[in-house]
Amino acid sequence: MILPIVAYGDTVLRKVGATIDPTYKDLDKLIENMWETMYNANGVGLAAPQVGKAIQLFIVDTDAFDDEKYPSMKKVFINAEIMEEWGTEWEYEEGCLSIPHIREKVSRFSHLLIRYQDEQFNWFEEEYDGIAARVIQHEYDHCQGKLFVDHISQLKRRLLKTKLTNISKGGAHVDYKMRLPSNR
Ligand code: NI
């Protein structure tokens, strides 16, 4: 089932997600719905707060990047914790399904070490770099109540203010279903 994607301005996007355990109700269904929702919107990642659930869960599929340098990665991340970030800081133009039609260069570290559980709640510790690291950093931020626009300069953010307000009022035209802050 395709779920509506929460638009910028909703308080759920500002919450630190709660950790979850195997007793979390209908988790399989939620993850399945998140994949469907993400692919329907042509996303490469989606975090649970974006479908209205303030929990520590996000999904990533970098296949759409078609980057020969890095193999594509498709994974579910539960209760993730970025343990360490290092390497060169590099800029990449990020976008977000909750903030349509806005793309801004965001600077982040090139490498990270992440500890997380998969959908069977097995623990993993893995290193990532390249585009996979970038998408993980973006989605991980969502679960901490952070958005990519928090990483840009105050001046740039001020310039975006009208556009951001417009998005939260439903003014952004997208071909996927959105849930507006006033619509709750
Ligand atoms: Ni996003």
Side-chain angles (χ1 to χ4, degrees), residues 45-47 50 95-99 138-139 142 147-148:
L46 188 70
Q50 294 183 276
C96 181
L97 296 176
S98 294
I99 314 175
H138 178 113
E139 301 309 328
H142 272 298
L147 301 169
F148 82 89

Side-chain angles (χ1 to χ4, degrees), residues 6 51 88 123 141 170 172 174:
V6 170
V51 293
T88 355
W123 282 104
D141 267 4
V174 286

Side-chain angles (χ1 to χ4, degrees), residues 44 61-73 90 92 129-135:
V44 291
D61 184 354
T62 63
D63 193 46
F65 285 103
D66 198 26
D67 189 333
E68 280 171 24
K69 210 171 139 203
Y70 301 99
S72 67
M73 183 270 281
W90 64 296
Y92 184 81
D129 62 356
I131 208 71
R134 175 62 62 150
V135 181

Side-chain angles (χ1 to χ4, degrees), residues 162-182:
T162 315
K163 277 190 188 172
L164 291 171
T165 306
N166 186 47
I167 290 168
S168 60
K169 286 180 175 162
H173 296 286
V174 286
D175 50 14
Y176 49 88
K177 219 192 312 169
M178 290 203 96
R179 186 184 98 181
L180 304 177
S182 51

